[in-house]
Amino acid sequence: MTRATARAHPNIALVKYWGKRDAALNLPATGSMSMTLDVFPTTTTVTVEPGRDRDELVLGGVVQQGVPRERVERFLDLVRTASGSSARARVETENTVPSAAGLASSASGFAALAGAAAAAYGLDLDERALSRLARQGSGSASRSIISGFAVWHAGDDDASSFAEAVPAPELAMVVAMVDRREKSVSSREAMRRTVDTSPFYPAWITSTARSLEDALAAAAAGDVERLGGITETNALRMHALIQSCDPPIRYLSPVSVEIFDRVVALRAEGVAAFATADAGPNVVVICRPADAATVAAAIDDLADTVTSLPGPGMQVLDRVPA
Ligand code: DP6
């Protein structure tokens, strides 16, 4: 019996991943860029138990069946293939962010699972290999392996589609918890529907590839205003794209939109603040760390807020060998 525990944090994309080029390998249509948070970690323990007949997933103390368990099993199959083991495992995971509410629990979840499973099955993987592995669990998880700011290269194949660190100015993210409930359409389903039905999808791909280049240049130059502007535009383009599906999907709620408006008003007062949102109603405001309290005060009548600085990459906390 071998056991390993790993921890990873969610990340929020400044330039979003939305759409797959290859669903089997989980290769994205475009590259993306993110900041890993220092709040809401996921901690996962993988115990390899040779006598067991199927993998078990325990999430927050509750045994999971159906799709979540099967997704973990398929992921562990990748690790088993790479390590030459056929042993099944028990996976125990604790999230500190509400699951499936558009706050990237699958990113921290599969990054922590990749680290814990690789260590428990005895794979010695470098950061790039861990990022590629995490990507196959959930695309955005490739970026939660990395500390601080990361670019996930779209790549041409499995080997070239991984995340790595990029230079960026010191930023804070003020997370506005608009709604903690599970979203009604998963991002995986919504992405598929976008690719299949949105007439705007080709334009999204070309504009996002350009936005990524611009964002990386702005980040390297330490240009917060430019980077923030690209972030907000890219987020609103993604939500417009998602709304253009058939049948349509809308993740932003009236409160989300009001927060976007407040952020525009903050900018008019001279505060460099920019809003983004993933596949859910929660809004994240990007600003300089010195402005985070001002930003939080401007929106805290609308939603609870949590402020984050750039956080650590995936860490293996413990490994107990046989
Ligand atoms: C809106 O990484 O959850 O958060 O690869 O299908 O698991 P799968 O999708 P996932 O999608 C994240 C979408 C997003 C944007 C982003 O994080 O870049």
Side-chain angles (χ1 to χ4, degrees):
M1 192 191 82
T2 317
R3 189 174 69 225
T5 300
R7 176 170 298 156
H9 292 74
N11 69 78
I12 299 293
L14 296 103
V15 176
K16 306 290 187 193
Y17 148 55
W18 195 260
K20 300 175 200 284
R21 193 176 69 236
D22 180 327
L25 284 171
N26 220 17
L27 300 177
T30 62
S32 53
M33 179 195 175
S34 62
M35 183 181 107
T36 298
L37 306 183
D38 68 357
V39 294
F40 306 136
T42 298
T43 307
T44 296
T45 298
V46 173
T47 309
V48 180
E49 295 176 349
R52 165 177 280 296
D53 61 355
R54 68 175 209 163
D55 298 312
E56 180 169 80
L57 171 64
V58 184
L59 180 60
V62 180
V63 177
Q64 305 288 307
Q65 308 290 353
V67 173
R69 194 203 67 82
E70 284 155 22
R71 208 166 152 187
V72 164
E73 183 166 64
R74 274 197 305 278
F75 184 78
L76 291 178
D77 285 342
L78 299 170
V79 178
R80 279 188 280 264
T81 302
S83 67
S85 168
S86 60
R88 302 273 146 182
R90 175 179 161 88
V91 175
E92 291 167 270
T93 184
E94 296 290 340
N95 272 326
T96 52
V97 57
S99 295
L103 271 176
S105 62
S106 74
S108 55
F110 277 98
L113 179 61
Y121 280 91
L123 293 177
D124 185 18
L125 302 182
D126 62 14
E127 194 174 75
R128 182 175 296 192
L130 282 165
S131 175
R132 286 169 50 204
L133 176 62
R135 184 202 79 227
Q136 296 196 63
S138 182
S140 53
S142 65
R143 301 182 311 235
S144 275
I145 297 291
I146 313 298
S147 69
F149 293 83
V151 61
W152 170 19
H153 302 288
D156 300 317
D157 55 12
D158 172 45
S160 54
S161 187
F162 56 88
E164 64 183 339
V166 289
E170 185 73 1
L171 288 179
M173 290 192 171
V174 179
V175 180
M177 314 283 285
V178 172
D179 191 338
R180 291 160 203 256
R181 279 172 305 183
E182 190 156 326
K183 58 199 177 200
S184 53
V185 185
S186 72
S187 54
R188 192 154 280 198
E189 159 58 19
M191 242 184 237
R192 210 167 14 227
R193 199 182 296 176
T194 303
V195 176
D196 291 346
T197 69
S198 173
F200 303 156
Y201 185 59
W204 161 255
I205 294 177
T206 47
S207 74
T208 299
R210 248 192 330 265
S211 297
L212 179 60
E213 272 182 39
D214 292 349
L216 291 171
D223 188 340
V224 173
E225 278 77 6
R226 176 101 189 99
L227 182 58
I230 295 165
T231 298
E232 193 170 295
T233 300
N234 183 257
L236 290 172
R237 282 180 181 164
M238 182 187 78
H239 284 278
L241 174 75
I242 293 170
Q243 290 183 46
S244 74
C245 290
D246 182 14
I249 302 164
R250 184 170 54 82
Y251 284 123
L252 298 179
S253 73
V255 174
S256 322
V257 173
E258 201 169 344
I259 295 174
F260 271 79
D261 286 350
R262 293 267 178 99
V263 169
V264 172
L266 273 171
R267 283 205 295 277
E269 292 164 15
V271 180
F274 304 88
T276 185
D278 284 341
N282 299 311
V283 178
V284 178
V285 185
I286 293 153
C287 61
R288 292 189 175 88
D291 290 328
T294 306
V295 168
I299 58 176
D300 68 3
D301 59 319
L302 296 173
D304 291 341
T305 63
V306 176
T307 296
S308 174
L309 292 172
M314 187 280 297
Q315 296 161 289
V316 176
L317 303 178
D318 183 35
R319 182 171 185 275
V320 181

